[in-house]
Amino acid sequence: MADTNEVIRPLFNFPPDIWGDRFLSLPFNKSEFELYSKQVEALKETVKDMLMVSESDPLEKIYLINSLYRLGVSYHFENEIENQLSQLFITVPPLLDDKECDLHIVAITFQVFRLHGFKMPCGVFSKFQDGDGKFKESMIANIKGMISLYEASYFKMKGEVILDEALAFTTKHLGSLANQSSLHFREYIENALFRPYHHSMQRYEARQYIYFYEKDESKNDVLLKFAKYDFNLVQLLYQQELCVLTSWYKELSLKSKLPYARHRIVESLFYSLGVYFEPRYAVGRNILAKLTCLIGFVDDAYEAYGLYEELQYFTDAMLRFDITAMDELPADYQKILYEIMLNVHDEVENQVRKEGRSFSVSYAENEFKKFAKAHQVEAQWKHEGHMPTFDEYLENGAYTVASLLAMTQIMIGME
């Protein structure tokens, strides 16, 4: 006879983790790591000398800074680049009025300054417009210029009509230009149209740009070699970070303890790399990946597994964020999740205490409380059959979307 008391839960049956245990023991080639490290340090000094030489053409230096960023190695020279650009912002803009400065030069310069926070005026592009405020058709033949103008247009601010025109103009013509161009330019154009580089993950875009830069006739072989060694070196570091995280995840038996939830530790690390990819942020990535998993666990507890009658108890416990609240939780899965929540936050607090940043964890905890409370509101709406107004949903959704929570978690790992 069927058990009439069987609890029916709203299971979502999420797709399983596709990675399994493949990252638990990635091989680490020490000799390869030492080779890359040695090459990076040697080439780093050479590139630094290129950056700091005072007699170089200001526009050439802009090109160099742009290449360093696009190749993913500018993080080695953050202070030097900032100092150089402070000086170049005085000397370079007047040079752009020269007739010899074509669209490509002007657009690259505009990108570099805007990317680094300088208020480069968009009026520098007006010389490429006709009397009606439209971009001259003669610009279309300048493929490099069109690509650079397209990329520059995404640095626009509200009210900059000329950049709106630039985006429309370049988008209209780049598709056909791609079909008429060499394979190298076609691939670059298609990649740019798919996603502007500063809208993507820096490390992913660096890998893409290394591929394109290698085929550029004007490439600097020293920069290319430096970028390749650096990319490979940092990849080895990421692999070790992934081993550490997957081992941590497995040791806690999270898949068996929380079978209803999404298990995405690998994806969480990938997300963390999008926030800060630099090697010095290894601890920050470790912390952010763990806390991101917690967001998923709690979200799934409310939306994919928990019963309304249980969830208020869990919300009350989340608002207390204290181990003494665990005994009041009615379901075992809630007790397991709550204990994991508290333990991970304690672990994170200990990780950052020696840098004097343990205070930052409390901000993330407070946002987690708001996250849980907002999910409880949605659970109540569903239980009562209430259809929220747009304003009600928007106000509550500001917390359930976890953007504010994510920002506080990110700040924990920042220097």
Side-chain angles (χ1 to χ4, degrees), residues 67 70-71 144 183-185 187-188 205-229 231-232:
S67 296
R70 297 296 302 274
L71 290 167
K144 278 191 173 183
L183 177 62
H184 167 60
F185 275 118
E187 290 179 332
Y188 189 94
E205 286 299 321
R207 178 64 186 86
Q208 290 284 90
Y209 195 73
I210 289 171
Y211 169 76
F212 294 126
Y213 189 74
E214 189 169 24
K215 298 181 179 182
D216 192 331
E217 294 179 356
S218 62
K219 67 179 178 292
N220 182 304
D221 289 329
V222 173
L223 283 187
L224 179 60
K225 186 182 293 186
F226 179 47
K228 285 184 174 182
Y229 277 123
F231 187 89
N232 290 334

Side-chain angles (χ1 to χ4, degrees), residues 142-413:
N142 185 345
I143 298 179
K144 278 191 173 183
M146 289 289 286
I147 297 172
S148 299
L149 178 60
Y150 169 79
E151 292 174 331
S153 70
Y154 278 93
F155 287 91
K156 64 183 177 180
M157 294 184 287
K158 186 177 181 180
E160 293 185 320
V161 178
I162 191 170
L163 294 181
D164 291 330
E165 290 284 345
L167 179 58
F169 176 72
T170 52
T171 303
K172 176 182 177 181
H173 295 290
L174 279 175
S176 58
L177 283 174
N179 295 328
Q180 302 166 23
S181 302
S182 64
L183 177 62
H184 167 60
F185 275 118
R186 184 169 77 244
E187 290 179 332
Y188 189 94
I189 292 171
E190 290 173 348
N191 187 68
L193 289 174
F194 174 67
R195 185 190 296 112
Y197 68 87
H198 64 289
H199 284 189
S200 185
M201 293 179 64
Q202 277 186 267
R203 211 59 188 165
Y204 171 78
E205 286 299 321
R207 178 64 186 86
Q208 290 284 90
Y209 195 73
I210 289 171
Y211 169 76
F212 294 126
Y213 189 74
E214 189 169 24
K215 298 181 179 182
D216 192 331
E217 294 179 356
S218 62
K219 67 179 178 292
N220 182 304
D221 289 329
V222 173
L223 283 187
L224 179 60
K225 186 182 293 186
F226 179 47
K228 285 184 174 182
Y229 277 123
D230 183 76
F231 187 89
N232 290 334
L233 174 64
V234 176
Q235 282 294 101
L236 292 177
L237 295 175
Y238 294 159
Q239 290 172 13
Q240 293 309 299
E241 290 178 30
L242 186 54
C243 283
V244 170
L245 275 171
T246 51
S247 296
W248 168 84
Y249 204 85
K250 189 174 182 66
E251 287 170 6
L252 290 181
S253 302
L254 293 176
K255 288 184 181 180
S256 59
K257 290 180 178 178
L258 303 172
Y260 64 87
R262 289 165 289 181
H263 296 280
R264 302 290 184 262
I265 187 64
V266 176
E267 291 82 353
S268 294
L269 177 59
F270 191 71
Y271 155 69
S272 302
L273 287 169
V275 177
Y276 22 57
F277 73 87
E278 298 89 341
R280 68 178 183 270
Y281 287 117
V283 172
R285 285 189 292 273
N286 179 280
I287 289 171
L288 185 56
K290 292 175 180 177
L291 295 179
T292 300
C293 285
L294 292 184
I295 293 178
F297 294 158
V298 173
D299 185 78
D300 293 342
Y302 278 98
E303 297 188 357
Y305 194 72
L307 301 176
Y308 177 72
E309 294 76 13
E310 303 167 342
L311 292 176
Q312 184 61 62
Y313 291 98
F314 188 74
T315 303
D316 292 341
M318 286 293 293
L319 294 177
R320 289 170 60 181
F321 226 87
D322 185 271
I323 193 65
T324 58
M326 193 166 72
D327 292 335
E328 299 174 20
L329 294 173
D332 288 340
Y333 80 91
Q334 292 181 324
K335 294 178 180 179
I336 292 170
L337 174 56
Y338 192 66
E339 185 176 17
I340 292 170
M341 281 281 300
L342 296 180
N343 288 343
V344 171
H345 280 87
D346 286 344
E347 177 186 331
V348 168
E349 190 171 355
N350 289 330
Q351 280 182 277
V352 297
R353 178 172 285 112
K354 58 184 178 182
E355 286 89 17
R357 297 201 314 277
S358 58
F359 68 91
S360 61
V361 180
S362 64
Y363 290 93
E365 291 175 354
N366 287 335
E367 287 302 323
F368 235 131
K369 295 174 183 178
K370 297 175 186 177
F371 178 69
K373 189 175 181 180
H375 270 293
Q376 181 65 37
V377 171
E378 287 191 351
Q380 184 173 346
W381 287 343
K382 181 180 179 181
H383 180 71
E384 297 175 353
H386 172 66
M387 178 65 71
T389 65
F390 177 78
D391 289 338
E392 283 178 328
Y393 186 81
L394 194 63
E395 182 179 356
N396 197 67
Y399 295 100
T400 57
V401 77
S403 57
L404 296 174
L405 172 55
M407 289 301 103
T408 57
Q409 292 177 340
I410 288 169
M411 295 303 293
I412 294 172

Side-chain angles (χ1 to χ4, degrees), residues 53-73:
V53 63
S54 58
E55 305 86 46
S56 62
D57 181 342
L59 293 175
E60 287 297 325
K61 191 162 287 188
I62 291 290
Y63 270 121
L64 174 60
I65 292 172
N66 180 62
S67 296
L68 291 173
Y69 178 80
R70 297 296 302 274
L71 290 167
V73 292

Side-chain angles (χ1 to χ4, degrees), residues 71-86:
L71 290 167
V73 292
S74 60
Y75 72 93
H76 287 287
F77 315 104
E78 290 176 350
N79 293 332
E80 291 84 354
I81 288 174
E82 183 177 351
N83 292 335
Q84 290 289 318
L85 287 177
S86 295

